Amino acid sequence: MSLFWRIFALNAVVLGAATALLLWAPVTVSVPVLLTEAIILLAGLVVMLIANAALLRIGLAPLDRLTKLMTTVDLLRPGQRLPEHGRGGIAELIRTFNAMLERLEHERAASSARVLLAQEAERRRIAQELHDEVGQSMTAILLVLKRAADEADESLRGELHQAQEITRDSLDEVRRLVRRLRPGVLEDLGLVSALTSLTTEFATHTGLRVLRHFDAGLPALDQQTELVLYRVAQEALTNAARHAEAGQVEVSLRHSDGTVVLAVADDGRGTGVAREGSGIRGMRERALLIGATLDIASQPQAGTQVRLAVPVPRKQP
């Protein structure tokens, strides 16, 4: 039944009931209308309007749910659907909307995958250029400064040594940027070693205490999944250093019930509601790329926890 005929039927029921009451109830209307008769008619009108409103509320409730979902749906949180009850125009509308959501989620996942893969390729290219061009040039500058310092007068030697230290610090910073852009440890030694290196460097540069809990015997993961886990941990640590005002961060990687769970929790100020900035949106896009679930919990004065649950495909016997 279409929406038009559904509303028509509801109104017909109410009007038919009112007509039946007028036909068979001992109620008459005098001319002029008596006060008691006016009160009875007004009471009947109120009852009819209330009944009509209640029936319409029940009949149009699926549209209210659909409207609410339309205003809150987020393609980075897939799986939001309305139950498809009954048949007719409203049920068909809900089915169409659910199908549209599924199609948009697939298209968003595909476009995000292309963007993230292009982003990683660009990061590798920039890291390679920094390593080959800037790094080698600064190394050559260090050698020239050392030779000049060895041959310079005592009055200039101190300034040349200072220039060496500045250049050496800059070279270390370039190498750190290269490691952030292209985690070679991840490709060479695996996820646990890469996370250990990441957290060690993070603690050194920020002064925060970092606790690590990595399960032994983690299942083998494909390269893309390991990269997503690494990038989410990297972004979560960056957010903790920039915004949380924390003193300690705990990073854990555990495996249970066919799921690998990465958790990054700090003891900072929290917000009560995690702000969806570009960093968090980027983490959600990465989670969507591998079919993982990202949950962020933030409590005032109790810190923030980022939790990424990655399903591990079972091996075929």
Side-chain angles (χ1 to χ4, degrees):
M1 185 182 295
S2 67
L3 181 61
F4 169 80
W5 288 111
R6 186 180 297 240
I7 295 175
F8 178 81
L10 292 174
N11 288 326
V13 168
V14 173
L15 293 176
T19 303
L21 287 174
L22 289 176
L23 289 176
W24 287 289
V27 178
T28 59
V29 180
S30 304
V31 180
V33 179
L34 299 177
L35 178 61
T36 55
E37 294 174 345
I39 293 174
I40 293 173
L41 289 176
L42 289 175
L45 177 62
V46 170
V47 170
M48 184 175 63
L49 291 176
I50 292 174
N52 190 39
L55 292 174
L56 283 176
R57 174 69 67 181
I58 295 172
L60 298 179
L63 285 182
D64 292 336
R65 293 195 297 268
L66 180 62
T67 302
K68 184 178 179 180
L69 180 60
M70 284 180 174
T71 58
T72 60
V73 68
D74 186 352
L75 295 180
L76 293 180
R77 294 179 174 87
Q80 302 177 63
R81 300 290 187 273
L82 281 176
E84 301 173 4
H85 296 311
R87 293 177 293 180
I90 294 181
E92 182 62 28
L93 178 62
I94 293 175
R95 281 193 291 270
T96 302
F97 181 74
N98 287 342
M100 181 192 70
L101 274 184
E102 186 166 354
R103 185 176 67 254
L104 289 176
E105 286 173 358
H106 286 309
E107 292 176 357
R108 177 61 184 266
S111 62
S112 296
R114 290 192 295 269
V115 170
L116 291 174
L117 291 175
Q119 184 184 79
E120 290 297 333
E122 185 66 11
R123 285 183 172 186
R124 285 194 296 270
R125 184 188 67 80
I126 294 174
Q128 192 68 36
E129 290 186 0
L130 285 174
H131 180 272
D132 294 345
E133 303 295 334
V134 179
Q136 291 183 7
S137 298
M138 296 183 75
T139 301
I141 292 172
L142 276 175
L143 295 175
V144 171
L145 288 173
K146 183 180 184 303
R147 185 164 56 250
D150 292 339
E151 299 175 356
D153 296 335
E154 188 67 28
S155 58
L156 294 176
R157 192 168 298 170
E159 295 183 4
L160 290 173
H161 283 311
Q162 185 179 5
Q164 277 183 285
E165 291 302 319
I166 295 173
T167 305
R168 189 175 289 109
D169 291 342
S170 300
L171 181 59
D172 290 340
E173 183 65 22
V174 168
R175 289 171 176 169
R176 189 176 70 86
L177 289 174
V178 168
R179 288 193 297 271
R180 286 179 61 86
L181 289 170
R182 183 176 179 270
V185 179
L186 180 64
E187 300 176 0
D188 299 334
L189 301 178
L191 179 61
V192 173
S193 296
L195 290 177
T196 301
S197 175
L198 174 66
T199 52
T200 301
E201 184 178 356
F202 173 80
T204 301
H205 281 82
T206 62
L208 297 179
R209 184 186 180 194
V210 179
L211 303 179
R212 292 187 293 263
H213 302 283
F214 300 148
D215 282 355
L218 291 169
L221 302 171
D222 59 78
Q223 185 177 2
Q224 189 177 60
T225 300
E226 288 190 344
L227 182 59
V228 169
L229 286 164
Y230 180 87
R231 292 298 188 198
V232 169
Q234 187 180 49
E235 182 62 33
L237 288 172
T238 301
N239 288 342
R242 288 180 179 175
H243 310 297
E245 299 178 7
Q248 177 178 293
V249 181
E250 182 177 350
V251 181
S252 63
L253 190 64
R254 305 187 186 280
H255 173 240
S256 63
D257 299 329
T259 303
V260 172
V261 178
L262 169 73
V264 181
D266 63 65
D267 62 351
R269 56 187 176 88
T271 60
V273 178
R275 292 177 294 177
E276 295 282 328
S278 59
I280 294 179
R281 303 289 291 184
M283 287 192 286
R284 292 199 184 279
E285 289 182 348
R286 291 185 182 278
L288 191 63
L289 179 63
I290 59 173
T293 302
L294 181 73
D295 295 312
I296 301 175
S298 184
Q299 299 296 330
Q301 307 306 320
T304 301
Q305 182 187 61
V306 177
R307 184 179 182 274
L308 180 69
V310 182
V312 179
R314 294 184 179 180
K315 294 183 179 180
Q316 297 295 333

PDB file of all heavy atoms in Angstrom, residues 117-152:
ATOM      1  N   LEU A 117      46.418   4.887  -1.029  1.00  0.00           N
ATOM      2  CA  LEU A 117      47.532   4.265  -1.757  1.00  0.00           C
ATOM      3  C   LEU A 117      48.368   5.325  -2.472  1.00  0.00           C
ATOM      4  O   LEU A 117      49.607   5.259  -2.479  1.00  0.00           O
ATOM      5  CB  LEU A 117      46.989   3.239  -2.754  1.00  0.00           C
ATOM      6  CG  LEU A 117      46.372   1.975  -2.143  1.00  0.00           C
ATOM      7  CD1 LEU A 117      45.768   1.095  -3.224  1.00  0.00           C
ATOM      8  CD2 LEU A 117      47.415   1.202  -1.351  1.00  0.00           C
ATOM      9  N   ALA A 118      47.702   6.312  -3.067  1.00  0.00           N
ATOM     10  CA  ALA A 118      48.445   7.405  -3.702  1.00  0.00           C
ATOM     11  C   ALA A 118      49.223   8.209  -2.665  1.00  0.00           C
ATOM     12  O   ALA A 118      50.353   8.640  -2.917  1.00  0.00           O
ATOM     13  CB  ALA A 118      47.480   8.309  -4.469  1.00  0.00           C
ATOM     14  N   GLN A 119      48.628   8.403  -1.496  1.00  0.00           N
ATOM     15  CA  GLN A 119      49.313   9.136  -0.424  1.00  0.00           C
ATOM     16  C   GLN A 119      50.563   8.400   0.034  1.00  0.00           C
ATOM     17  O   GLN A 119      51.623   9.007   0.225  1.00  0.00           O
ATOM     18  CB  GLN A 119      48.345   9.329   0.744  1.00  0.00           C
ATOM     19  CG  GLN A 119      48.905  10.155   1.887  1.00  0.00           C
ATOM     20  CD  GLN A 119      47.939  10.220   3.050  1.00  0.00           C
ATOM     21  OE1 GLN A 119      47.842   9.278   3.842  1.00  0.00           O
ATOM     22  NE2 GLN A 119      47.195  11.322   3.138  1.00  0.00           N
ATOM     23  N   GLU A 120      50.458   7.082   0.206  1.00  0.00           N
ATOM     24  CA  GLU A 120      51.629   6.312   0.617  1.00  0.00           C
ATOM     25  C   GLU A 120      52.710   6.327  -0.460  1.00  0.00           C
ATOM     26  O   GLU A 120      53.903   6.411  -0.147  1.00  0.00           O
ATOM     27  CB  GLU A 120      51.225   4.870   0.935  1.00  0.00           C
ATOM     28  CG  GLU A 120      50.392   4.723   2.199  1.00  0.00           C
ATOM     29  CD  GLU A 120      51.136   5.149   3.442  1.00  0.00           C
ATOM     30  OE1 GLU A 120      52.379   5.066   3.457  1.00  0.00           O
ATOM     31  OE2 GLU A 120      50.484   5.573   4.412  1.00  0.00           O
ATOM     32  N   ALA A 121      52.299   6.259  -1.712  1.00  0.00           N
ATOM     33  CA  ALA A 121      53.285   6.323  -2.799  1.00  0.00           C
ATOM     34  C   ALA A 121      53.994   7.672  -2.810  1.00  0.00           C
ATOM     35  O   ALA A 121      55.220   7.749  -3.007  1.00  0.00           O
ATOM     36  CB  ALA A 121      52.600   6.069  -4.143  1.00  0.00           C
ATOM     37  N   GLU A 122      53.239   8.753  -2.580  1.00  0.00           N
ATOM     38  CA  GLU A 122      53.850  10.074  -2.533  1.00  0.00           C
ATOM     39  C   GLU A 122      54.774  10.213  -1.320  1.00  0.00           C
ATOM     40  O   GLU A 122      55.837  10.833  -1.411  1.00  0.00           O
ATOM     41  CB  GLU A 122      52.747  11.135  -2.486  1.00  0.00           C
ATOM     42  CG  GLU A 122      53.247  12.572  -2.558  1.00  0.00           C
ATOM     43  CD  GLU A 122      53.883  12.924  -3.887  1.00  0.00           C
ATOM     44  OE1 GLU A 122      53.754  12.128  -4.843  1.00  0.00           O
ATOM     45  OE2 GLU A 122      54.504  13.990  -3.969  1.00  0.00           O
ATOM     46  N   ARG A 123      54.386   9.619  -0.208  1.00  0.00           N
ATOM     47  CA  ARG A 123      55.265   9.650   0.965  1.00  0.00           C
ATOM     48  C   ARG A 123      56.576   8.924   0.688  1.00  0.00           C
ATOM     49  O   ARG A 123      57.651   9.393   1.082  1.00  0.00           O
ATOM     50  CB  ARG A 123      54.555   9.003   2.163  1.00  0.00           C
ATOM     51  CG  ARG A 123      53.482   9.879   2.791  1.00  0.00           C
ATOM     52  CD  ARG A 123      52.883   9.208   4.008  1.00  0.00           C
ATOM     53  NE  ARG A 123      51.995  10.094   4.741  1.00  0.00           N
ATOM     54  CZ  ARG A 123      51.436   9.787   5.896  1.00  0.00           C
ATOM     55  NH1 ARG A 123      51.678   8.615   6.450  1.00  0.00           N
ATOM     56  NH2 ARG A 123      50.638  10.655   6.489  1.00  0.00           N
ATOM     57  N   ARG A 124      56.482   7.781   0.033  1.00  0.00           N
ATOM     58  CA  ARG A 124      57.712   7.046  -0.299  1.00  0.00           C
ATOM     59  C   ARG A 124      58.597   7.864  -1.230  1.00  0.00           C
ATOM     60  O   ARG A 124      59.825   7.878  -1.086  1.00  0.00           O
ATOM     61  CB  ARG A 124      57.360   5.701  -0.934  1.00  0.00           C
ATOM     62  CG  ARG A 124      56.843   4.670   0.060  1.00  0.00           C
ATOM     63  CD  ARG A 124      56.833   3.277  -0.548  1.00  0.00           C
ATOM     64  NE  ARG A 124      55.901   3.191  -1.664  1.00  0.00           N
ATOM     65  CZ  ARG A 124      54.628   2.851  -1.543  1.00  0.00           C
ATOM     66  NH1 ARG A 124      54.128   2.575  -0.346  1.00  0.00           N
ATOM     67  NH2 ARG A 124      53.847   2.786  -2.599  1.00  0.00           N
ATOM     68  N   ARG A 125      57.979   8.535  -2.201  1.00  0.00           N
ATOM     69  CA  ARG A 125      58.768   9.333  -3.139  1.00  0.00           C
ATOM     70  C   ARG A 125      59.462  10.491  -2.422  1.00  0.00           C
ATOM     71  O   ARG A 125      60.664  10.741  -2.624  1.00  0.00           O
ATOM     72  CB  ARG A 125      57.860   9.876  -4.249  1.00  0.00           C
ATOM     73  CG  ARG A 125      58.605  10.637  -5.344  1.00  0.00           C
ATOM     74  CD  ARG A 125      57.635  11.314  -6.290  1.00  0.00           C
ATOM     75  NE  ARG A 125      56.895  12.380  -5.635  1.00  0.00           N
ATOM     76  CZ  ARG A 125      57.404  13.604  -5.428  1.00  0.00           C
ATOM     77  NH1 ARG A 125      58.652  13.897  -5.809  1.00  0.00           N
ATOM     78  NH2 ARG A 125      56.677  14.541  -4.855  1.00  0.00           N
ATOM     79  N   ILE A 126      58.710  11.194  -1.550  1.00  0.00           N
ATOM     80  CA  ILE A 126      59.313  12.319  -0.825  1.00  0.00           C
ATOM     81  C   ILE A 126      60.412  11.827   0.104  1.00  0.00           C
ATOM     82  O   ILE A 126      61.486  12.440   0.211  1.00  0.00           O
ATOM     83  CB  ILE A 126      58.222  13.070  -0.040  1.00  0.00           C
ATOM     84  CG1 ILE A 126      57.240  13.727  -1.011  1.00  0.00           C
ATOM     85  CG2 ILE A 126      58.834  14.121   0.876  1.00  0.00           C
ATOM     86  CD1 ILE A 126      56.050  14.375  -0.336  1.00  0.00           C
ATOM     87  N   ALA A 127      60.163  10.692   0.788  1.00  0.00           N
ATOM     88  CA  ALA A 127      61.182  10.149   1.686  1.00  0.00           C
ATOM     89  C   ALA A 127      62.436   9.774   0.916  1.00  0.00           C
ATOM     90  O   ALA A 127      63.563  10.004   1.387  1.00  0.00           O
ATOM     91  CB  ALA A 127      60.621   8.929   2.415  1.00  0.00           C
ATOM     92  N   GLN A 128      62.260   9.192  -0.263  1.00  0.00           N
ATOM     93  CA  GLN A 128      63.417   8.815  -1.072  1.00  0.00           C
ATOM     94  C   GLN A 128      64.207  10.048  -1.502  1.00  0.00           C
ATOM     95  O   GLN A 128      65.444  10.054  -1.459  1.00  0.00           O
ATOM     96  CB  GLN A 128      62.951   8.026  -2.305  1.00  0.00           C
ATOM     97  CG  GLN A 128      64.072   7.336  -3.075  1.00  0.00           C
ATOM     98  CD  GLN A 128      64.696   6.212  -2.277  1.00  0.00           C
ATOM     99  OE1 GLN A 128      64.000   5.515  -1.543  1.00  0.00           O
ATOM    100  NE2 GLN A 128      65.999   6.040  -2.409  1.00  0.00           N
ATOM    101  N   GLU A 129      63.495  11.101  -1.900  1.00  0.00           N
ATOM    102  CA  GLU A 129      64.191  12.323  -2.311  1.00  0.00           C
ATOM    103  C   GLU A 129      64.894  12.985  -1.133  1.00  0.00           C
ATOM    104  O   GLU A 129      66.018  13.489  -1.273  1.00  0.00           O
ATOM    105  CB  GLU A 129      63.196  13.297  -2.958  1.00  0.00           C
ATOM    106  CG  GLU A 129      62.694  12.828  -4.318  1.00  0.00           C
ATOM    107  CD  GLU A 129      61.842  13.883  -4.990  1.00  0.00           C
ATOM    108  OE1 GLU A 129      61.656  14.966  -4.395  1.00  0.00           O
ATOM    109  OE2 GLU A 129      61.357  13.628  -6.111  1.00  0.00           O
ATOM    110  N   LEU A 130      64.252  12.998   0.040  1.00  0.00           N
ATOM    111  CA  LEU A 130      64.913  13.552   1.216  1.00  0.00           C
ATOM    112  C   LEU A 130      66.177  12.772   1.555  1.00  0.00           C
ATOM    113  O   LEU A 130      67.212  13.349   1.909  1.00  0.00           O
ATOM    114  CB  LEU A 130      63.952  13.528   2.414  1.00  0.00           C
ATOM    115  CG  LEU A 130      62.846  14.575   2.439  1.00  0.00           C
ATOM    116  CD1 LEU A 130      61.902  14.316   3.603  1.00  0.00           C
ATOM    117  CD2 LEU A 130      63.434  15.982   2.544  1.00  0.00           C
ATOM    118  N   HIS A 131      66.078  11.456   1.440  1.00  0.00           N
ATOM    119  CA  HIS A 131      67.234  10.625   1.774  1.00  0.00           C
ATOM    120  C   HIS A 131      68.348  10.784   0.751  1.00  0.00           C
ATOM    121  O   HIS A 131      69.528  10.941   1.104  1.00  0.00           O
ATOM    122  CB  HIS A 131      66.800   9.160   1.858  1.00  0.00           C
ATOM    123  CG  HIS A 131      67.921   8.222   2.193  1.00  0.00           C
ATOM    124  ND1 HIS A 131      68.732   7.649   1.223  1.00  0.00           N
ATOM    125  CD2 HIS A 131      68.386   7.772   3.388  1.00  0.00           C
ATOM    126  CE1 HIS A 131      69.622   6.876   1.806  1.00  0.00           C
ATOM    127  NE2 HIS A 131      69.445   6.929   3.118  1.00  0.00           N
ATOM    128  N   ASP A 132      67.982  10.755  -0.519  1.00  0.00           N
ATOM    129  CA  ASP A 132      69.008  10.770  -1.563  1.00  0.00           C
ATOM    130  C   ASP A 132      69.568  12.162  -1.816  1.00  0.00           C
ATOM    131  O   ASP A 132      70.783  12.308  -2.028  1.00  0.00           O
ATOM    132  CB  ASP A 132      68.430  10.210  -2.869  1.00  0.00           C
ATOM    133  CG  ASP A 132      68.087   8.732  -2.755  1.00  0.00           C
ATOM    134  OD1 ASP A 132      68.556   8.100  -1.790  1.00  0.00           O
ATOM    135  OD2 ASP A 132      67.324   8.231  -3.591  1.00  0.00           O
ATOM    136  N   GLU A 133      68.702  13.167  -1.825  1.00  0.00           N
ATOM    137  CA  GLU A 133      69.143  14.505  -2.187  1.00  0.00           C
ATOM    138  C   GLU A 133      69.544  15.318  -0.963  1.00  0.00           C
ATOM    139  O   GLU A 133      70.715  15.687  -0.799  1.00  0.00           O
ATOM    140  CB  GLU A 133      68.025  15.233  -2.953  1.00  0.00           C
ATOM    141  CG  GLU A 133      67.562  14.504  -4.211  1.00  0.00           C
ATOM    142  CD  GLU A 133      68.658  14.427  -5.265  1.00  0.00           C
ATOM    143  OE1 GLU A 133      69.537  15.310  -5.256  1.00  0.00           O
ATOM    144  OE2 GLU A 133      68.632  13.491  -6.079  1.00  0.00           O
ATOM    145  N   VAL A 134      68.593  15.577  -0.084  1.00  0.00           N
ATOM    146  CA  VAL A 134      68.881  16.440   1.069  1.00  0.00           C
ATOM    147  C   VAL A 134      69.852  15.772   2.022  1.00  0.00           C
ATOM    148  O   VAL A 134      70.817  16.398   2.498  1.00  0.00           O
ATOM    149  CB  VAL A 134      67.558  16.799   1.799  1.00  0.00           C
ATOM    150  CG1 VAL A 134      67.843  17.680   3.002  1.00  0.00           C
ATOM    151  CG2 VAL A 134      66.602  17.490   0.836  1.00  0.00           C
ATOM    152  N   GLY A 135      69.624  14.507   2.314  1.00  0.00           N
ATOM    153  CA  GLY A 135      70.512  13.805   3.244  1.00  0.00           C
ATOM    154  C   GLY A 135      71.941  13.752   2.759  1.00  0.00           C
ATOM    155  O   GLY A 135      72.886  14.026   3.516  1.00  0.00           O
ATOM    156  N   GLN A 136      72.138  13.411   1.509  1.00  0.00           N
ATOM    157  CA  GLN A 136      73.501  13.340   0.972  1.00  0.00           C
ATOM    158  C   GLN A 136      74.149  14.717   0.904  1.00  0.00           C
ATOM    159  O   GLN A 136      75.345  14.859   1.177  1.00  0.00           O
ATOM    160  CB  GLN A 136      73.472  12.693  -0.411  1.00  0.00           C
ATOM    161  CG  GLN A 136      73.122  11.200  -0.372  1.00  0.00           C
ATOM    162  CD  GLN A 136      73.168  10.563  -1.739  1.00  0.00           C
ATOM    163  OE1 GLN A 136      73.593  11.189  -2.712  1.00  0.00           O
ATOM    164  NE2 GLN A 136      72.727   9.320  -1.839  1.00  0.00           N
ATOM    165  N   SER A 137      73.349  15.734   0.549  1.00  0.00           N
ATOM    166  CA  SER A 137      73.905  17.092   0.496  1.00  0.00           C
ATOM    167  C   SER A 137      74.355  17.557   1.875  1.00  0.00           C
ATOM    168  O   SER A 137      75.436  18.148   2.037  1.00  0.00           O
ATOM    169  CB  SER A 137      72.876  18.066  -0.077  1.00  0.00           C
ATOM    170  OG  SER A 137      72.529  17.716  -1.401  1.00  0.00           O
ATOM    171  N   MET A 138      73.545  17.274   2.898  1.00  0.00           N
ATOM    172  CA  MET A 138      73.913  17.692   4.243  1.00  0.00           C
ATOM    173  C   MET A 138      75.108  16.891   4.765  1.00  0.00           C
ATOM    174  O   MET A 138      75.938  17.415   5.513  1.00  0.00           O
ATOM    175  CB  MET A 138      72.709  17.549   5.173  1.00  0.00           C
ATOM    176  CG  MET A 138      71.559  18.461   4.806  1.00  0.00           C
ATOM    177  SD  MET A 138      70.167  18.365   5.953  1.00  0.00           S
ATOM    178  CE  MET A 138      70.851  19.290   7.323  1.00  0.00           C
ATOM    179  N   THR A 139      75.201  15.641   4.375  1.00  0.00           N
ATOM    180  CA  THR A 139      76.385  14.855   4.749  1.00  0.00           C
ATOM    181  C   THR A 139      77.634  15.448   4.120  1.00  0.00           C
ATOM    182  O   THR A 139      78.705  15.549   4.764  1.00  0.00           O
ATOM    183  CB  THR A 139      76.207  13.398   4.309  1.00  0.00           C
ATOM    184  OG1 THR A 139      75.029  12.851   4.928  1.00  0.00           O
ATOM    185  CG2 THR A 139      77.405  12.559   4.711  1.00  0.00           C
ATOM    186  N   ALA A 140      77.522  15.858   2.859  1.00  0.00           N
ATOM    187  CA  ALA A 140      78.662  16.495   2.192  1.00  0.00           C
ATOM    188  C   ALA A 140      79.028  17.811   2.881  1.00  0.00           C
ATOM    189  O   ALA A 140      80.213  18.129   3.047  1.00  0.00           O
ATOM    190  CB  ALA A 140      78.329  16.734   0.720  1.00  0.00           C
ATOM    191  N   ILE A 141      78.011  18.576   3.308  1.00  0.00           N
ATOM    192  CA  ILE A 141      78.282  19.829   4.033  1.00  0.00           C
ATOM    193  C   ILE A 141      79.014  19.548   5.333  1.00  0.00           C
ATOM    194  O   ILE A 141      79.957  20.272   5.711  1.00  0.00           O
ATOM    195  CB  ILE A 141      76.955  20.578   4.291  1.00  0.00           C
ATOM    196  CG1 ILE A 141      76.358  21.076   2.969  1.00  0.00           C
ATOM    197  CG2 ILE A 141      77.170  21.750   5.240  1.00  0.00           C
ATOM    198  CD1 ILE A 141      74.980  21.657   3.110  1.00  0.00           C
ATOM    199  N   LEU A 142      78.642  18.488   6.030  1.00  0.00           N
ATOM    200  CA  LEU A 142      79.331  18.128   7.262  1.00  0.00           C
ATOM    201  C   LEU A 142      80.801  17.818   7.016  1.00  0.00           C
ATOM    202  O   LEU A 142      81.689  18.237   7.778  1.00  0.00           O
ATOM    203  CB  LEU A 142      78.641  16.916   7.909  1.00  0.00           C
ATOM    204  CG  LEU A 142      77.427  17.184   8.783  1.00  0.00           C
ATOM    205  CD1 LEU A 142      76.813  15.870   9.244  1.00  0.00           C
ATOM    206  CD2 LEU A 142      77.818  18.024   9.995  1.00  0.00           C
ATOM    207  N   LEU A 143      81.110  17.107   5.941  1.00  0.00           N
ATOM    208  CA  LEU A 143      82.507  16.779   5.625  1.00  0.00           C
ATOM    209  C   LEU A 143      83.300  18.037   5.289  1.00  0.00           C
ATOM    210  O   LEU A 143      84.469  18.188   5.715  1.00  0.00           O
ATOM    211  CB  LEU A 143      82.549  15.788   4.455  1.00  0.00           C
ATOM    212  CG  LEU A 143      81.946  14.399   4.731  1.00  0.00           C
ATOM    213  CD1 LEU A 143      81.943  13.564   3.455  1.00  0.00           C
ATOM    214  CD2 LEU A 143      82.722  13.690   5.833  1.00  0.00           C
ATOM    215  N   VAL A 144      82.646  18.947   4.531  1.00  0.00           N
ATOM    216  CA  VAL A 144      83.334  20.193   4.188  1.00  0.00           C
ATOM    217  C   VAL A 144      83.591  21.023   5.445  1.00  0.00           C
ATOM    218  O   VAL A 144      84.682  21.590   5.633  1.00  0.00           O
ATOM    219  CB  VAL A 144      82.499  20.986   3.158  1.00  0.00           C
ATOM    220  CG1 VAL A 144      83.092  22.378   2.950  1.00  0.00           C
ATOM    221  CG2 VAL A 144      82.438  20.233   1.830  1.00  0.00           C
ATOM    222  N   LEU A 145      82.597  21.099   6.330  1.00  0.00           N
ATOM    223  CA  LEU A 145      82.777  21.855   7.568  1.00  0.00           C
ATOM    224  C   LEU A 145      83.864  21.244   8.445  1.00  0.00           C
ATOM    225  O   LEU A 145      84.641  21.967   9.088  1.00  0.00           O
ATOM    226  CB  LEU A 145      81.452  21.914   8.338  1.00  0.00           C
ATOM    227  CG  LEU A 145      80.366  22.815   7.753  1.00  0.00           C
ATOM    228  CD1 LEU A 145      79.058  22.645   8.518  1.00  0.00           C
ATOM    229  CD2 LEU A 145      80.798  24.286   7.789  1.00  0.00           C
ATOM    230  N   LYS A 146      83.936  19.933   8.471  1.00  0.00           N
ATOM    231  CA  LYS A 146      84.975  19.280   9.287  1.00  0.00           C
ATOM    232  C   LYS A 146      86.362  19.589   8.734  1.00  0.00           C
ATOM    233  O   LYS A 146      87.303  19.900   9.486  1.00  0.00           O
ATOM    234  CB  LYS A 146      84.735  17.767   9.309  1.00  0.00           C
ATOM    235  CG  LYS A 146      85.731  17.009  10.189  1.00  0.00           C
ATOM    236  CD  LYS A 146      85.445  15.531  10.178  1.00  0.00           C
ATOM    237  CE  LYS A 146      86.402  14.811  11.135  1.00  0.00           C
ATOM    238  NZ  LYS A 146      87.817  15.043  10.819  1.00  0.00           N
ATOM    239  N   ARG A 147      86.505  19.512   7.421  1.00  0.00           N
ATOM    240  CA  ARG A 147      87.802  19.809   6.814  1.00  0.00           C
ATOM    241  C   ARG A 147      88.164  21.277   7.025  1.00  0.00           C
ATOM    242  O   ARG A 147      89.320  21.599   7.338  1.00  0.00           O
ATOM    243  CB  ARG A 147      87.758  19.470   5.323  1.00  0.00           C
ATOM    244  CG  ARG A 147      89.103  19.621   4.636  1.00  0.00           C
ATOM    245  CD  ARG A 147      89.143  18.933   3.275  1.00  0.00           C
ATOM    246  NE  ARG A 147      88.085  19.420   2.402  1.00  0.00           N
ATOM    247  CZ  ARG A 147      87.024  18.708   2.040  1.00  0.00           C
ATOM    248  NH1 ARG A 147      86.886  17.469   2.485  1.00  0.00           N
ATOM    249  NH2 ARG A 147      86.118  19.222   1.227  1.00  0.00           N
ATOM    250  N   ALA A 148      87.178  22.165   6.892  1.00  0.00           N
ATOM    251  CA  ALA A 148      87.452  23.585   7.106  1.00  0.00           C
ATOM    252  C   ALA A 148      87.825  23.856   8.559  1.00  0.00           C
ATOM    253  O   ALA A 148      88.710  24.678   8.848  1.00  0.00           O
ATOM    254  CB  ALA A 148      86.232  24.419   6.706  1.00  0.00           C
ATOM    255  N   ALA A 149      87.139  23.167   9.496  1.00  0.00           N
ATOM    256  CA  ALA A 149      87.453  23.370  10.914  1.00  0.00           C
ATOM    257  C   ALA A 149      88.855  22.883  11.242  1.00  0.00           C
ATOM    258  O   ALA A 149      89.564  23.481  12.067  1.00  0.00           O
ATOM    259  CB  ALA A 149      86.418  22.657  11.780  1.00  0.00           C
ATOM    260  N   ASP A 150      89.265  21.786  10.615  1.00  0.00           N
ATOM    261  CA  ASP A 150      90.609  21.267  10.878  1.00  0.00           C
ATOM    262  C   ASP A 150      91.686  22.212  10.369  1.00  0.00           C
ATOM    263  O   ASP A 150      92.789  22.286  10.946  1.00  0.00           O
ATOM    264  CB  ASP A 150      90.777  19.893  10.213  1.00  0.00           C
ATOM    265  CG  ASP A 150      89.896  18.836  10.876  1.00  0.00           C
ATOM    266  OD1 ASP A 150      89.500  19.053  12.037  1.00  0.00           O
ATOM    267  OD2 ASP A 150      89.600  17.813  10.223  1.00  0.00           O
ATOM    268  N   GLU A 151      91.400  22.939   9.309  1.00  0.00           N
ATOM    269  CA  GLU A 151      92.404  23.816   8.710  1.00  0.00           C
ATOM    270  C   GLU A 151      92.257  25.275   9.146  1.00  0.00           C
ATOM    271  O   GLU A 151      93.130  26.093   8.842  1.00  0.00           O
ATOM    272  CB  GLU A 151      92.306  23.735   7.178  1.00  0.00           C
ATOM    273  CG  GLU A 151      92.564  22.336   6.621  1.00  0.00           C
ATOM    274  CD  GLU A 151      92.333  22.272   5.124  1.00  0.00           C
ATOM    275  OE1 GLU A 151      91.901  23.310   4.565  1.00  0.00           O
ATOM    276  OE2 GLU A 151      92.557  21.195   4.523  1.00  0.00           O
ATOM    277  N   ALA A 152      91.179  25.620   9.841  1.00  0.00           N
ATOM    278  CA  ALA A 152      90.919  27.021  10.178  1.00  0.00           C
ATOM    279  C   ALA A 152      91.724  27.450  11.399  1.00  0.00           C
ATOM    280  O   ALA A 152      92.251  26.635  12.175  1.00  0.00           O
ATOM    281  CB  ALA A 152      89.434  27.220  10.448  1.00  0.00           C
TER     282      ALA A 152
END
